[in-house]
Amino acid sequence: VFQELAMEEMEHQAKLELELMKLGRVVRDKGSGQGPHVTRMQSLDDIPADLTREEILLLALKKEAAAFRLYVEMLALAKDDHVYELLFALSEEEMRHKLRFERMYDALKARES
């Protein structure tokens, strides 16, 4: 499941980078700090390697919610209809991911009780 979702996230990145190139923009280095302020995502380097299944699912829930907020914030900045539609679709996909993790978390908790 995590590998499948990771691939989807990489597709999200590719779609966004393609839209930037279509607009004649380049993808900035992560550390540039320029451009509009949007929600910042926690680096994977900051995540401990020894998390339990429950902790992994809670972290995944948190990251999907943050990704959803990021796309919604970017929606407010979109000036092009095509870009707006892409960001809207990506935000919906992030919400589906979050719901999937919620179901997995609920199933894990149900097995524990």
Side-chain angles (χ1 to χ4, degrees):
V1 169
F2 290 111
Q3 288 177 338
E4 179 183 312
L5 290 173
M7 292 299 294
E8 287 181 29
E9 297 301 337
M10 289 172 46
E11 288 174 18
H12 293 179
Q13 180 179 348
K15 287 177 185 178
L16 291 170
E17 288 176 357
L18 177 61
E19 289 307 315
L20 282 173
M21 287 190 295
K22 286 180 185 177
L23 296 171
R25 305 265 171 90
V26 294
V27 179
R28 291 191 190 113
D29 292 336
K30 292 179 183 178
S32 74
Q34 297 175 358
H37 172 72
V38 292
T39 302
R40 300 291 180 229
M41 301 290 284
Q42 179 185 10
S43 168
L44 291 177
D45 297 334
D46 300 334
I47 300 170
D50 60 344
L51 297 176
T52 66
R53 281 186 182 181
E54 182 177 338
E55 291 169 328
I56 290 169
L57 289 171
L58 289 172
L59 179 61
L61 282 165
K62 180 180 172 183
K63 288 196 160 292
E64 293 299 335
F68 172 78
R69 283 191 307 276
L70 173 67
Y71 289 129
V72 169
E73 290 176 17
M74 291 170 62
L75 273 170
L77 303 172
K79 293 178 174 57
D80 178 271
D81 288 342
H82 179 72
V83 172
Y84 184 91
E85 289 172 15
L86 172 65
L87 292 170
F88 188 83
L90 291 173
S91 68
E92 286 181 319
E93 197 166 323
E94 296 302 340
M95 189 50 62
R96 282 192 295 275
H97 292 171
K98 182 178 179 293
L99 292 171
R100 187 174 183 182
F101 283 127
E102 285 174 349
R103 285 191 304 273
M104 291 171 68
Y105 181 80
D106 290 345
L108 178 66
K109 295 307 279 181
R111 278 185 283 183
E112 291 177 357
S113 22

